[in-house]
């Protein structure tokens, strides 16, 4: 019964979330170096327990995260890569937890971005310094977007 509930939830959230943005032919210039990270999952924005099972958004995976002119690229081992276009990024912050997992607030970066609904995606970087660089670069980009 647990499994069928998850399947139903998956179908419902898939409709609510809508399709993931396709990756561009070119990501443009890299704004950060690739950083080792673990993608922890995505939840409805502001609801750190409401995991989104649709589109592989709940699949925890190791990989790398890198910021480009086109947006944020998460290369994930064993599942599809995740691309977050700049124009959909609304906010970025350090946090203590995401998707029901408590984590290190110096390394856990949460990106709030828009699909059909606003979602929070959690990325746990291996090194605090790289997490800080990523947050600084993303915040700069979000501010630039709001100014533009």
């Amino acid at each position: 019964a647990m499994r069928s509930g998850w399947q139903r939830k998956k179908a419902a959230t898939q409709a609510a979330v809508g399709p993931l943005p396709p990756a561009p032919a070119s990501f443009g210039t890299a704004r950060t170096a690739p950083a080792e990270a673990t993608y922890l999952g995505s939840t409805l924005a502001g609801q750190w327990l409401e995991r989104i099972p649709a589109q592989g958004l709940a699949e925890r995976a190791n990989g790398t995260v890198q910021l480009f002119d086109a947006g944020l690229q998460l290369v994930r081992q064993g599942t599809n890569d995740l691309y977050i276009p700049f124009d959909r990024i609304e906010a970025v912050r350090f946090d203590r937890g995401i998707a029901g997992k408590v984590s290190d607030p110096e390394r856990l970066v949460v990106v709030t971005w828009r699909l059909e609904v606003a979602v929070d995606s959690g990325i746990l970087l291996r090194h605090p310094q790289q997490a800080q660089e990523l947050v600084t670069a993303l915040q700069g980009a979000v501010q630039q977007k709001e100014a533009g």
Side-chain angles (χ1 to χ4, degrees):
M2 184 76 194
R3 177 121 193 100
S4 68
W6 182 248
Q7 292 296 5
R8 270 201 305 277
K9 181 168 179 175
K10 195 167 178 172
T13 53
Q14 192 125 1
V17 169
L20 292 178
S26 165
F27 285 97
T29 307
R31 297 188 180 195
T32 61
E36 283 179 66
T38 303
Y39 170 79
L40 296 183
S42 294
T43 65
L44 297 176
Q47 303 180 37
W48 81 290
L49 292 173
E50 273 300 315
R51 279 197 307 159
I52 299 170
Q55 315 276 17
L57 286 173
E59 288 172 44
R60 197 183 161 115
N62 291 324
T64 58
V65 59
Q66 189 169 13
L67 189 62
F68 294 89
D69 284 344
L72 193 63
Q73 169 75 337
L74 273 153
V75 177
R76 302 191 295 169
Q77 295 162 12
T79 185
N80 57 324
D81 294 346
L82 185 60
Y83 163 60
I84 305 179
F86 255 142
D87 58 9
R88 295 188 182 225
I89 297 175
E90 298 188 343
V92 59
R93 67 179 189 273
F94 284 109
D95 211 329
R96 296 182 175 279
I98 186 84
K101 298 253 188 296
V102 176
S103 206
D104 178 352
E106 294 200 341
R107 297 186 298 126
L108 175 61
V109 176
V110 175
V111 179
T112 304
W113 58 296
R114 189 156 280 291
L115 286 160
E116 294 293 315
V117 292
V119 299
D120 284 344
S121 292
I123 306 159
L124 183 66
L125 282 85
R126 181 166 289 184
H127 306 291
Q129 187 192 341
Q130 288 183 317
Q132 185 62 63
E133 284 165 13
L134 183 66
V135 166
T136 301
L138 274 167
Q139 283 174 337
V142 169
Q143 283 160 0
Q144 204 176 342
K145 184 185 81 171
E146 285 169 359

